[in-house]
């Protein structure tokens, strides 16, 4: 299990991870809605979601 500090570091290492996390915490979103709410392109959104899945 990762420490809180490791989780904060993980979110901070990407300019979009925190925003994706915040957006998903508000409500469930499909990929298109997530891309629009955060302002990222499809490859970026996919990579961030994959990173989150790998850490789960």
């Amino acid at each position: 299990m990762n420490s809180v500090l490791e989780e904060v570091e993980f979110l901070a290492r990407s300019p979009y991870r925190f925003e994706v996390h915040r957006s998903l915490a508000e409500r469930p979103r499909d990929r298109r809605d997530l891309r629009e709410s955060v302002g990222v392109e499809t490859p970026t959104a996919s990579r961030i979601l994959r990173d989150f899945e790998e850490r789960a």
Side-chain angles (χ1 to χ4, degrees), residues 1-37:
M1 185 167 177
N2 295 321
S3 72
V4 172
L5 185 56
E6 288 171 326
E7 294 301 323
V8 170
E9 180 183 21
F10 168 75
L11 291 173
R13 282 185 298 184
S14 165
Y16 297 112
R17 279 186 192 144
F18 178 78
E19 289 303 318
V20 168
H21 186 270
R22 182 196 54 75
S23 184
L24 291 172
E26 289 175 357
R27 65 180 173 85
R29 298 178 186 270
D30 62 24
R31 286 179 189 260
R32 189 186 87 212
D33 188 27
L34 183 61
R35 289 190 322 263
E36 291 173 1
S37 72

Side-chain angles (χ1 to χ4, degrees), residues 2 10 17 47-56:
N2 295 321
F10 168 75
R17 279 186 192 144
R47 185 177 58 251
I48 290 170
L49 292 173
R50 187 174 51 248
D51 289 346
F52 287 167
E53 289 173 351
E54 289 172 358
R55 292 183 74 82

